[in-house]
Amino acid sequence: LQIIENSVRYLKHHVEFLFYDAEHFFDGFKEDPDYAIETIKRARDAGADCIVLNEEINKAQIDEDICNGCGICVKVCPFDAITIVNLATELATDKIHQYGQNSFRLYKLPTPKKGEVVGLLGRNGMGKSTVINILSGSLKPNLGKYEVPPEWDEILDYYSGTELKSHFEKIKDGQISASIKPQQVYNIAKVFDGTGKELLEKYDERGITNQLIKTLDLKNSVDQNVKELSGGELQRLAVAVTSVKDADFYFFDEPSSYNDIYQRMGVARVIQSLAKIGKSVMVVEHDLTLLDYVSDLIEVLYGVSSAYGIVSGVLSTKVGINVFLDGYLPSENVRFRDKKFSFDVSTTTGQFAEAATIIKYPILEKKYPNFSVTIEAGQVRKGEVLGVMGANSLGKTTMMKMIAGVEKPDLGNVNKKIKISYKPQYLSNNSDVDVVSVLNTANEGLIEGSQEEEQIVDPLKIKKLYNKSIKNLSGGELQKVSIVTCLLQKADLYALDEPSAFLDVEDRIAVAKFIQKFTRSYGKSAMIIDHDVQLLDLVSDSMVIFEGTSGVSGHATSPLSKVEGMNKFLKSLDVTFRRDEKSRRPRVNKEKSRLDKIQKAESNFYY
């Protein structure tokens, strides 16, 4: 009877739409949003209750048993709020958690490994927060039964014969302790009033506070109140607080944010030290260089953002990252992306030797009460991307502001005869203005339907954000809108300060490739500051390297070739790079490995 009833409802649904004026439906919906509610009510009264209006919450709900994936509701909804995905039937047995009707669901779980660092690699919105909450014991998995959640006996029976059964048994009995470094480190200042050292000593169960202060370069900041710390200092303090606890399971959510490459290497060593003493460690990270360096194993998260997420089986670090870049899991015969990311092995040395100079700057100096910076003379040529690398607090942003005309140097004068578009490091999200209005202002006209929309907005996929206000954007969305706003302005040189911040790994690669294509195709030039070595290696044609003492004095070289600049920078890090033979991506050699020793002996730090 249930089958017959569902079939009748299914047929009514389709007959209703067969005789419905589709063109009138689409036009009416766009003209009048209230039309949607009336349409849903009429469809419900006619018996076509695939989509019904929940009067209590005033929201439409979709009956997933009747829905056949026709896609009409997806096309009609003006806010991209509906996603319809046809999943393989095999996944029905692998559902770990679902939050409610028509809501996000997670399939499979990564497995913690004692004595190893497991890296989780995937886009934002794939369920990493759900994974953290389940494995730490904060969230009880419901196996998809959100209306009547299962008891622990049923959950343990589901995991019978797997490594995760013993993990959940410990959670059930309250025998597992978890230490988690959250993504939003600024919340620390909201819940703790005191110095960084007081916070560390409060949670230090292993007696390693002084050791971590040295390794994470916190000696100049731990005596300050946490409310006065910078983003990078808060990030490293959060890593330290997570590590001083005596736990069974450690989870680090994006530990590299706000830190320079030197500080990221310190963070990596602290995380690895936990695995060396037999702890289970998991890391979510979008900096592929750091993830490659710190991880022993990789598990890929894939799916549709905010709709569903699937966790792959465990893979070696090399294979896992290559699989993610390929967008194809050979062991499971699953393609989760329609394109693969590749890395160019060619060098641009000499390519711009004959190109016209866009801007030439002399020796520049800027002095503050407690800090000074000197910039060697240089130039940027047409079609060239100049990468700027170095530790925090050496004057990279000051250099960009002086060249862009935002700040005036004490010595030297940048004679600008060109227009420069500048994207700052820190972005403001306090505006109630919607995204499309911001882009219209940058474009000096109407962005919708324009050539610029097709060339710049569409490739970076922010069209769906048009109706959202700036203050409601996530960190990654705000970053992409800021990049597009910068590139939409009519300029000769585009200066972008840390464009990778808050972006996931796919967006970082896509942005890098787009900027490179944009500058070369339209004869523009760009200057980029970033701490993601892989992004700068991918996008840069030449490099400026900053050296000095952080917070005291900085010195910038004149522009160097990419090979010369990368070799100089990696030597200061005491790290060697090689290329992966398959994906051609840059990889960090393990410290004191055979290849690491050979390259250092030859002073060849860059492949």
Side-chain angles (χ1 to χ4, degrees):
L1 286 173
Q2 185 64 48
I3 294 172
I4 292 171
E5 182 182 348
N6 284 347
S7 300
V8 170
R9 292 163 70 193
Y10 175 84
L11 287 168
K12 281 183 177 179
H13 167 66
H14 277 273
V15 169
E16 179 73 9
F17 272 110
L18 279 172
F19 292 96
Y20 203 86
D21 185 344
E23 185 177 356
H24 175 65
F25 182 83
F26 288 120
D27 291 343
F29 197 93
K30 289 176 181 176
E31 293 292 332
D32 184 7
D34 292 335
Y35 182 73
I37 294 177
E38 294 302 319
T39 302
I40 292 169
K41 285 180 178 177
R42 286 204 304 273
R44 178 193 62 196
D45 295 338
D49 48 0
C50 173
I51 303 177
V52 296
L53 184 69
N54 187 322
E55 304 283 0
E56 294 181 3
I57 59 175
N58 198 33
K59 284 185 179 180
Q61 292 183 330
I62 299 173
D63 189 326
E64 296 182 30
D65 294 326
I66 295 177
C67 175
N68 73 328
C70 66
I72 292 175
C73 58
V74 177
K75 295 175 182 176
V76 169
C77 179
F79 310 112
D80 290 329
I82 302 172
T83 302
I84 294 179
V85 181
N86 294 313
L87 293 172
T89 54
E90 291 86 346
L91 284 176
T93 60
D94 297 322
K95 190 183 289 184
I96 304 304
H97 195 80
Q98 182 172 343
Y99 286 98
Q101 185 180 4
N102 305 150
S103 62
F104 180 85
R105 68 262 346 239
L106 176 72
Y107 297 90
K108 304 181 184 178
L109 275 176
T111 305
K113 303 279 186 182
K114 281 190 175 182
E116 293 183 298
V117 179
V118 178
L120 300 184
L121 178 57
R123 298 207 68 177
N124 289 329
M126 295 298 172
K128 66 181 179 186
S129 297
T130 305
V131 166
I132 297 169
N133 290 331
I134 290 175
L135 292 179
S136 65
S138 301
L139 178 66
K140 188 177 176 183
N142 61 25
L143 306 181
K145 303 172 184 178
Y146 55 88
E147 293 178 326
V148 185
E151 297 299 325
W152 273 114
D153 289 341
E154 185 179 346
I155 295 170
L156 293 175
D157 183 60
Y158 176 85
Y159 282 106
S160 180
T162 69
E163 293 179 70
L164 279 169
K165 183 180 180 182
S166 61
H167 185 85
F168 283 118
E169 283 176 338
K170 290 178 181 177
I171 291 177
K172 176 192 173 186
D173 298 334
Q175 296 176 348
I176 195 166
S177 58
S179 184
I180 300 171
K181 189 213 78 69
Q183 182 183 27
Q184 304 298 334
V185 293
Y186 280 107
N187 291 332
I188 295 174
K190 297 178 182 178
V191 297
F192 183 81
D193 186 14
T195 66
K197 194 163 189 178
E198 289 171 346
L199 180 61
L200 278 169
E201 290 173 345
K202 178 180 179 180
Y203 291 101
D204 190 358
E205 300 168 347
R206 299 174 56 214
I208 58 170
T209 290
N210 291 332
Q211 178 186 331
L212 288 179
I213 288 173
K214 182 179 179 182
T215 305
L216 294 172
D217 191 23
L218 288 168
K219 56 184 178 295
N220 295 326
S221 53
V222 288
D223 292 325
Q224 298 180 47
N225 191 292
V226 293
K227 291 181 173 64
E228 300 171 358
L229 299 181
S230 67
E233 290 169 331
L234 273 175
Q235 185 70 260
R236 300 195 303 284
L237 179 64
V239 170
V241 171
T242 305
S243 303
V244 295
K245 296 177 184 177
D246 188 13
D248 304 295
F249 174 61
Y250 295 84
F251 201 106
F252 296 87
D253 194 352
E254 297 188 33
S256 74
S257 302
Y258 308 110
N259 286 321
D260 63 42
I261 185 62
Y262 298 91
Q263 295 159 344
R264 293 181 188 194
M265 298 305 289
V267 167
R269 294 185 184 102
V270 169
I271 293 172
Q272 287 174 326
S273 70
L274 293 168
K276 288 176 181 176
I277 60 173
K279 303 294 186 179
S280 298
V281 186
M282 280 192 177
V283 178
V284 171
E285 183 52 63
H286 296 305
D287 182 341
L288 282 185
T289 305
L290 179 67
L291 188 70
D292 191 4
Y293 182 75
V294 77
S295 300
D296 300 303
L297 301 166
I298 292 287
E299 295 196 43
V300 176
L301 277 74
Y302 61 96
V304 175
S305 182
S306 302
Y308 76 96
I310 304 172
V311 181
S312 76
V314 66
L315 302 162
S316 69
T317 304
K318 173 183 174 179
V319 172
I321 295 178
N322 284 348
V323 158
F324 178 78
L325 294 172
D326 283 344
Y328 174 67
L329 276 165
S331 58
E332 300 172 30
N333 194 25
V334 171
R335 176 161 290 285
F336 55 88
R337 196 189 315 112
D338 58 1
K339 65 176 182 178
K340 69 177 183 178
F341 293 114
S342 58
F343 292 82
D344 188 8
V345 298
S346 64
T347 177
T348 55
T349 301
Q351 179 177 332
F352 299 97
E354 303 299 324
T357 298
I358 287 290
I359 189 170
K360 184 179 285 189
Y361 56 90
I363 295 176
L364 302 173
E365 286 186 7
K366 183 73 176 178
K367 292 183 179 180
Y368 299 93
N370 299 313
F371 176 74
S372 63
V373 61
T374 303
I375 315 295
E376 295 295 330
Q379 60 184 2
V380 183
R381 295 182 174 90
K382 190 173 183 179
E384 183 179 32
V385 177
L386 176 66
V388 182
M389 300 176 73
N392 280 334
S393 305
L394 288 180
K396 299 186 300 298
T397 299
T398 303
M399 171 191 175
M400 184 171 279
K401 285 182 176 180
M402 287 191 291
I403 292 176
V406 178
E407 282 195 18
K408 188 176 180 181
D410 296 326
L411 174 67
N413 181 35
V414 181
N415 186 16
K416 288 203 291 84
K417 295 180 181 178
I418 61 168
K419 186 174 180 183
I420 297 176
S421 177
Y422 172 59
K423 185 203 83 68
Q425 178 182 5
Y426 299 108
L427 310 174
S428 173
N429 64 342
N430 298 323
S431 174
D432 287 320
V433 179
D434 58 21
V435 169
V436 71
S437 299
V438 172
L439 299 187
N440 280 333
T441 302
N443 190 46
E444 300 176 359
L446 186 66
I447 187 69
E448 294 179 89
S450 68
Q451 187 178 6
E452 288 82 2
E453 182 182 54
E454 180 183 345
Q455 294 170 344
I456 300 172
V457 178
D458 288 348
L460 293 181
K461 299 178 180 177
I462 64 166
K463 209 170 181 179
K464 63 181 181 181
L465 304 176
Y466 273 7
N467 295 321
K468 291 183 75 172
S469 65
I470 294 296
K471 69 177 182 180
N472 291 328
L473 297 178
S474 68
E477 290 171 339
L478 181 63
Q479 187 68 257
K480 288 204 288 185
V481 168
S482 300
I483 292 169
V484 169
T485 302
C486 176
L487 297 179
L488 277 173
Q489 296 180 49
K490 303 291 189 295
D492 303 288
L493 177 67
Y494 296 87
L496 299 104
D497 198 344
E498 294 201 33
S500 75
F502 307 111
L503 297 183
D504 63 39
V505 62
E506 285 194 23
D507 280 336
R508 289 183 186 203
I509 298 173
V511 164
K513 285 183 169 288
F514 178 76
I515 291 173
Q516 189 179 62
K517 181 180 178 182
F518 176 82
T519 54
R520 293 183 182 177
S521 299
Y522 301 107
K524 306 295 185 180
S525 301
M527 177 184 291
I528 298 177
I529 296 173
D530 214 286
H531 294 302
D532 188 327
V533 179
Q534 183 168 263
L535 180 141
L536 284 181
D537 177 54
L538 184 62
V539 74
S540 301
D541 301 305
S542 58
M543 288 185 167
V544 166
I545 308 299
F546 269 78
E547 300 168 316
T549 304
S550 293
V552 179
S553 63
H555 178 266
T557 67
S558 57
L560 307 170
S561 69
K562 183 161 71 172
V563 173
E564 188 181 357
M566 284 293 288
N567 204 56
K568 183 180 181 69
F569 181 69
L570 294 175
K571 187 174 183 178
S572 69
L573 273 176
D574 197 31
V575 165
T576 56
F577 268 26
R578 71 183 186 277
R579 273 200 186 275
D580 183 83
E581 63 272 13
K582 182 182 178 184
S583 66
R584 312 310 295 164
R585 66 183 171 88
R587 296 194 67 194
V588 181
N589 292 321
K590 297 295 182 184
E591 193 172 4
K592 296 182 181 178
S593 65
R594 181 186 62 84
L595 200 54
D596 183 56
K597 291 178 181 178
I598 292 173
Q599 288 186 221
K600 284 178 179 176
E602 298 173 348
S603 291
N604 181 27
F605 291 79
Y606 182 65
Y607 41 75

